[in-house]
Amino acid sequence: MERIASFCVDHNKLLPGIYTSRVDGDIVTYDIRMRRPNIPPFLPNPVLHTIEHLFATFARNSETKDHVIYFGPMGCRTGFYLLLRNTKPSEAIRLIVDTFQKISEYDGPIPGAAASECGNYLEHDLSGTVQEVKAFLPVIENWTVEKLNYNFQG
């Protein structure tokens, strides 16, 4: 079997940041890496879940909303994938940074966190989410298009 693209990245060298994971026609998958792979502690599940709800809500209510295909956590609990259609890389970076900024300042109810809206509505952590996002923002706030490329392959 062929190795998928994300398994070809040397995770031992991967640092937190924003990367272009793959390009499929007009859809680009961005790797939003909040933690170094294989180095605990990993993002706690309640934090992953809350970031997922907040990021998806804010991004799908932004100027870029019609270009958002998907946002969700990585199984390894080190970050997220964001899929965007027909969006310039600079616009993608701006969306990511702006959305994380909104999350860092958020203190309201978690969107979609009722039993009728979510399959695991009890597993959320807003305070932990805000703490994680505030720690990550300095890493990405000055991110550039030139930094989007993985500089190594496994």
Side-chain angles (χ1 to χ4, degrees), residues 68-105:
V68 176
I69 304 298
Y70 172 79
F71 177 81
M74 297 174 181
C76 61
R77 298 180 17 225
T78 62
F80 297 84
Y81 287 116
L82 171 65
L83 281 69
L84 296 172
R85 169 177 275 137
N86 296 325
T87 305
K88 293 178 184 175
S90 59
E91 294 169 343
I93 293 169
R94 180 59 29 222
L95 172 66
I96 294 165
V97 172
D98 288 351
T99 302
F100 274 101
Q101 184 64 48
K102 287 178 184 170
I103 294 170
S104 78
E105 299 166 354

Side-chain angles (χ1 to χ4, degrees), residues 5 24 108 121 139:
D24 298 288
Y121 78 102
V139 174

Side-chain angles (χ1 to χ4, degrees), residues 7-119:
F7 295 161
C8 295
V9 173
D10 187 342
H11 285 65
N12 292 316
K13 297 178 182 176
L14 188 55
L15 298 175
I18 304 167
Y19 304 96
T20 302
S21 177
R22 57 184 292 144
V23 178
D24 298 288
D26 63 346
I27 298 175
V28 178
T29 301
Y30 291 95
D31 173 335
I32 303 170
R33 193 66 61 154
M34 294 181 71
R35 295 280 179 93
R36 284 199 66 186
N38 302 312
I39 300 176
F42 304 106
L43 292 166
N45 280 325
V47 168
L48 278 174
H49 194 192
T50 302
I51 291 172
E52 176 193 17
H53 278 238
L54 291 172
F55 193 105
T57 298
F58 290 142
R60 290 190 173 114
N61 282 280
S62 72
E63 293 178 6
T64 315
K65 66 182 178 183
D66 295 332
H67 303 279
V68 176
I69 304 298
Y70 172 79
F71 177 81
M74 297 174 181
C76 61
R77 298 180 17 225
T78 62
F80 297 84
Y81 287 116
L82 171 65
L83 281 69
L84 296 172
R85 169 177 275 137
N86 296 325
T87 305
K88 293 178 184 175
S90 59
E91 294 169 343
I93 293 169
R94 180 59 29 222
L95 172 66
I96 294 165
V97 172
D98 288 351
T99 302
F100 274 101
Q101 184 64 48
K102 287 178 184 170
I103 294 170
S104 78
E105 299 166 354
Y106 191 74
D107 67 352
I110 298 165
S116 62
E117 301 168 313
C118 177

